Short mmCIF file of all heavy atoms in Angstrom, two decimals:
data_model
loop_
_atom_site.label_atom_id
_atom_site.label_comp_id
_atom_site.label_asym_id
_atom_site.label_seq_id
_atom_site.Cartn_x
_atom_site.Cartn_y
_atom_site.Cartn_z
N GLY A 402 -4.78 -5.30 -29.72
CA GLY A 402 -3.48 -4.70 -30.25
C GLY A 402 -2.19 -5.67 -29.91
O GLY A 402 -2.32 -6.73 -29.62
N ILE A 403 -1.03 -5.04 -29.95
CA ILE A 403 0.26 -5.75 -29.92
C ILE A 403 0.46 -6.46 -28.48
O ILE A 403 1.26 -7.27 -28.33
CB ILE A 403 1.48 -4.71 -30.29
CG1 ILE A 403 1.52 -3.65 -29.22
CG2 ILE A 403 1.29 -4.30 -31.58
CD1 ILE A 403 2.79 -2.79 -29.46
N TYR A 404 -0.37 -6.02 -27.50
CA TYR A 404 -0.01 -6.46 -26.11
C TYR A 404 -1.13 -7.49 -25.67
O TYR A 404 -1.39 -7.83 -24.57
CB TYR A 404 -0.04 -5.39 -25.00
CG TYR A 404 1.03 -4.36 -25.28
CD1 TYR A 404 0.93 -3.06 -25.61
CD2 TYR A 404 2.43 -4.80 -25.10
CE1 TYR A 404 1.86 -2.17 -25.85
CE2 TYR A 404 3.41 -3.90 -25.26
CZ TYR A 404 3.21 -2.53 -25.68
OH TYR A 404 4.25 -1.70 -25.88
N ARG A 405 -1.69 -8.03 -26.77
CA ARG A 405 -2.89 -9.11 -26.51
C ARG A 405 -2.11 -10.43 -26.13
O ARG A 405 -2.73 -11.25 -25.40
CB ARG A 405 -3.75 -9.23 -27.66
CG ARG A 405 -4.81 -10.28 -27.37
CD ARG A 405 -5.76 -10.31 -28.50
NE ARG A 405 -6.70 -11.33 -28.44
CZ ARG A 405 -7.82 -11.51 -27.72
NH1 ARG A 405 -7.97 -10.37 -26.92
NH2 ARG A 405 -8.45 -12.55 -27.62
N TYR A 406 -1.03 -10.59 -26.68
CA TYR A 406 -0.20 -11.92 -26.40
C TYR A 406 -1.10 -13.02 -26.84
O TYR A 406 -1.57 -13.11 -27.98
CB TYR A 406 0.22 -12.06 -25.09
CG TYR A 406 1.31 -11.02 -24.69
CD1 TYR A 406 0.94 -9.88 -23.81
CD2 TYR A 406 2.65 -11.14 -25.06
CE1 TYR A 406 1.85 -8.94 -23.49
CE2 TYR A 406 3.59 -10.16 -24.76
CZ TYR A 406 3.15 -9.04 -23.91
OH TYR A 406 4.12 -8.02 -23.68
N TRP A 407 -1.35 -14.11 -25.95
CA TRP A 407 -2.00 -15.28 -26.28
C TRP A 407 -3.47 -15.19 -25.67
O TRP A 407 -3.51 -15.36 -24.36
CB TRP A 407 -1.34 -16.54 -25.96
CG TRP A 407 -2.16 -17.77 -26.21
CD1 TRP A 407 -2.49 -18.40 -27.41
CD2 TRP A 407 -2.81 -18.58 -25.20
NE1 TRP A 407 -3.26 -19.53 -27.23
CE2 TRP A 407 -3.53 -19.64 -25.90
CE3 TRP A 407 -2.96 -18.41 -23.75
CZ2 TRP A 407 -4.28 -20.51 -25.19
CZ3 TRP A 407 -3.71 -19.37 -23.07
CH2 TRP A 407 -4.41 -20.50 -23.90
N ASN A 408 -4.51 -14.86 -26.34
CA ASN A 408 -5.76 -14.77 -25.63
C ASN A 408 -5.75 -13.76 -24.45
O ASN A 408 -6.46 -13.95 -23.41
CB ASN A 408 -6.31 -16.04 -25.30
CG ASN A 408 -6.67 -16.89 -26.51
OD1 ASN A 408 -7.20 -16.53 -27.52
ND2 ASN A 408 -6.45 -18.19 -26.31
N GLY A 409 -4.92 -12.74 -24.51
CA GLY A 409 -4.87 -11.76 -23.40
C GLY A 409 -3.80 -12.14 -22.43
O GLY A 409 -3.82 -11.47 -21.33
N ILE A 410 -3.26 -13.28 -22.48
CA ILE A 410 -2.34 -13.70 -21.47
C ILE A 410 -0.90 -13.90 -21.98
O ILE A 410 -0.63 -14.48 -23.02
CB ILE A 410 -2.71 -15.13 -20.92
CG1 ILE A 410 -4.11 -15.10 -20.36
CG2 ILE A 410 -1.75 -15.74 -20.00
CD1 ILE A 410 -4.69 -16.51 -20.06
N ASN A 411 0.08 -13.34 -21.20
CA ASN A 411 1.42 -13.51 -21.66
C ASN A 411 1.99 -14.75 -20.94
O ASN A 411 2.25 -14.75 -19.66
CB ASN A 411 2.26 -12.24 -21.05
CG ASN A 411 3.72 -12.31 -21.58
OD1 ASN A 411 4.14 -13.41 -21.97
ND2 ASN A 411 4.45 -11.06 -21.40
N TRP A 412 2.14 -15.89 -21.68
CA TRP A 412 2.39 -17.16 -21.03
C TRP A 412 3.78 -17.18 -20.40
O TRP A 412 3.92 -17.97 -19.48
CB TRP A 412 2.23 -18.24 -22.07
CG TRP A 412 3.30 -18.19 -23.30
CD1 TRP A 412 3.20 -17.58 -24.42
CD2 TRP A 412 4.66 -18.70 -23.23
NE1 TRP A 412 4.23 -17.74 -25.10
CE2 TRP A 412 5.22 -18.41 -24.41
CE3 TRP A 412 5.40 -19.40 -22.25
CZ2 TRP A 412 6.57 -18.81 -24.72
CZ3 TRP A 412 6.62 -19.73 -22.53
CH2 TRP A 412 7.21 -19.49 -23.80
N ARG A 413 4.56 -16.36 -20.79
CA ARG A 413 5.90 -16.26 -20.15
C ARG A 413 5.83 -15.80 -18.72
O ARG A 413 6.45 -16.29 -17.79
CB ARG A 413 6.80 -15.31 -20.89
CG ARG A 413 6.96 -15.65 -22.42
CD ARG A 413 7.43 -14.50 -23.25
NE ARG A 413 7.30 -14.67 -24.75
CZ ARG A 413 6.05 -14.52 -25.28
NH1 ARG A 413 5.00 -14.29 -24.75
NH2 ARG A 413 6.00 -14.80 -26.61
N ALA A 414 5.02 -14.74 -18.43
CA ALA A 414 4.70 -14.32 -17.19
C ALA A 414 3.93 -15.44 -16.29
O ALA A 414 4.26 -15.58 -15.17
CB ALA A 414 3.91 -13.02 -17.13
N ALA A 415 3.05 -16.11 -16.92
CA ALA A 415 2.34 -17.18 -16.15
C ALA A 415 3.29 -18.30 -15.76
O ALA A 415 3.23 -18.69 -14.56
CB ALA A 415 1.23 -17.74 -17.00
N VAL A 416 4.20 -18.63 -16.56
CA VAL A 416 5.20 -19.70 -16.26
C VAL A 416 6.16 -19.25 -15.09
O VAL A 416 6.38 -19.88 -14.22
CB VAL A 416 6.08 -20.07 -17.32
CG1 VAL A 416 7.15 -21.00 -17.07
CG2 VAL A 416 5.12 -20.81 -18.51
N ALA A 417 6.59 -17.93 -15.22
CA ALA A 417 7.45 -17.29 -14.17
C ALA A 417 6.70 -17.34 -12.87
O ALA A 417 7.39 -17.63 -11.82
CB ALA A 417 7.86 -15.90 -14.63
N LEU A 418 5.39 -17.01 -12.75
CA LEU A 418 4.68 -17.00 -11.62
C LEU A 418 4.64 -18.31 -10.96
O LEU A 418 4.81 -18.63 -9.74
CB LEU A 418 3.22 -16.38 -11.84
CG LEU A 418 3.07 -14.92 -11.96
CD1 LEU A 418 1.68 -14.46 -12.34
CD2 LEU A 418 3.56 -14.18 -10.58
N LEU A 419 4.32 -19.39 -11.77
CA LEU A 419 4.22 -20.76 -11.35
C LEU A 419 5.43 -21.20 -10.76
O LEU A 419 5.52 -21.81 -9.68
CB LEU A 419 3.70 -21.63 -12.55
CG LEU A 419 3.49 -23.23 -12.25
CD1 LEU A 419 2.31 -23.25 -11.25
CD2 LEU A 419 3.35 -23.84 -13.54
N VAL A 420 6.57 -21.02 -11.39
CA VAL A 420 7.85 -21.51 -10.86
C VAL A 420 8.29 -20.84 -9.72
O VAL A 420 8.95 -21.40 -8.65
CB VAL A 420 8.86 -21.32 -12.04
CG1 VAL A 420 10.28 -21.58 -11.48
CG2 VAL A 420 8.57 -22.12 -13.26
#
Side-chain angles (χ1 to χ4, degrees):
I403 61 174
Y404 297 112
R405 180 171 173 77
Y406 295 102
W407 176 76
N408 293 323
I410 299 173
N411 185 343
W412 65 268
R413 305 158 192 81
V416 173
L418 283 174
L419 180 65
V420 172

